Amino acid sequence: MANTAGLSQDELKKLVGYKAVDDHVRSGMVVGLGTGSTAAFAVDRVGQKIKSGELKDIICIPTSERTREQAEGLGIPLCTLNEKSHIDVSIDGADEVDPDWNLVKGGGGALLREKMVEIVSDKFICIVDESKLCPGLGPGFPLPVEITPFCHEHTLRVVAALSAIAPYLKEAVLRMGSSSTNKRDGDNIAVTDNGNYIVDLHFKETLKDAPAAAAQLKNTVGVVDHGLFIGMATEVIVAGKNGVYV
């Protein structure tokens, strides 16, 4: 294990992004490209290896407009799930990872496209720095829920009252400003790449049953999808102060 003491968070993210591509991406594959600051390093690495000729006959599916623009700038061949419904490997970050490898994703607002791509991938490699590991999902990072704009205040109330959510909830906040951050950075309602809104659920304590919360959210009419990725990661690559480990 390489010594990573003294590396910045960005340098740690680069280590795991590059390792995921080096370990899992081969010529001839269909590859899902994640969204966010860690995934961006994996996209960079794919671009490098295509340019050098090390990777040939690769086609990639981006999970956001931001990732699509980055990949196009690097000369990475792209398609969508319309052309390819089966993906060999997807590489993406996460906002929280619990000991069962359940994830919270969607701080960057791309949760729906990320889930659509990662659910049809043979392998989903999750890349994080150590700060994202937690004993349980909830208090460490707000859970994003993508909802339809139609009657959004009603849907927000219904979500906040769900039995697997309500006892642990501090507040449900409509995302404002840019959809790519859960910090309020504008006065207009944030709109996702899909034209929807996002409710960020802030928890005061750990969700007792994340799979139940996921099921209840998904079954709520008006909810498009949510940022709980339950049982989807096949491997988690972590960059910590003592090195990179799987």
Side-chain angles (χ1 to χ4, degrees):
M1 203 152 73
N3 181 22
T4 53
L7 290 185
S8 70
Q9 193 177 26
D10 265 355
E11 289 165 323
L12 292 174
K13 289 176 177 180
K14 183 175 174 178
L15 281 177
V16 289
Y18 279 31
K19 179 176 171 59
V21 174
D22 294 348
D23 288 359
H24 294 284
V25 178
R26 301 286 173 264
S27 292
M29 280 187 167
V30 180
V31 181
L33 301 177
T35 296
S37 56
T38 310
F41 286 111
V43 179
D44 281 343
R45 186 63 161 174
V46 172
Q48 284 173 18
K49 294 188 120 177
I50 288 174
K51 195 172 177 186
S52 73
E54 192 178 333
L55 286 177
K56 292 180 172 61
D57 190 28
I58 287 257
I59 192 148
C60 296
I61 299 181
T63 53
S64 64
E65 293 305 307
R66 273 179 299 152
T67 299
R68 180 182 61 75
E69 287 165 10
Q70 181 194 359
E72 282 177 351
L74 294 166
I76 297 173
L78 299 178
C79 71
T80 71
L81 289 172
N82 286 338
E83 291 82 43
K84 303 274 185 189
S85 280
H86 177 252
I87 298 172
D88 296 299
V89 61
S90 288
I91 299 171
D92 203 358
D95 300 307
E96 271 196 315
V97 182
D98 79 5
D100 296 326
W101 298 7
N102 294 320
L103 317 174
V104 167
K105 291 175 52 52
L111 54 145
L112 175 63
R113 294 188 188 189
E114 288 171 345
K115 191 172 279 186
M116 287 178 72
V117 165
E118 284 145 24
I119 202 83
V120 294
S121 301
D122 286 344
K123 292 197 291 188
F124 165 32
I125 311 302
C126 179
I127 49 176
V128 292
D129 63 84
E130 222 164 28
S131 69
K132 306 293 176 14
L133 303 181
C134 64
L137 303 180
F141 196 90
L143 170 64
V145 181
E146 188 159 341
I147 65 171
T148 56
F150 176 72
C151 298
H152 64 276
E153 292 173 8
H154 158 75
T155 304
L156 184 150
R157 288 194 296 270
V158 172
V159 163
L162 292 170
S163 62
I165 299 279
Y168 319 105
L169 189 66
K170 185 165 75 176
E171 57 177 346
V173 181
L174 190 65
R175 192 174 290 193
M176 304 294 286
S178 157
S179 69
S180 61
T181 170
N182 59 16
K183 309 283 180 281
R184 186 184 175 122
D185 59 0
D187 296 327
N188 295 323
I189 299 173
V191 178
T192 67
D193 284 346
N194 318 300
N196 298 315
Y197 295 168
I198 291 181
V199 175
D200 287 303
L201 302 178
H202 296 253
F203 292 100
K204 55 182 189 266
E205 54 188 282
T206 303
L207 279 173
K208 289 284 182 292
D209 190 342
Q216 288 180 16
L217 285 166
K218 189 69 181 178
N219 284 333
T220 300
V221 176
V223 169
V224 182
D225 219 315
H226 55 79
L228 287 169
F229 284 51
I230 305 292
M232 284 177 59
T234 34
E235 187 172 292
V236 180
I237 305 179
V238 184
K241 52 187 177 298
N242 299 319
V244 174
Y245 56 95
V246 174

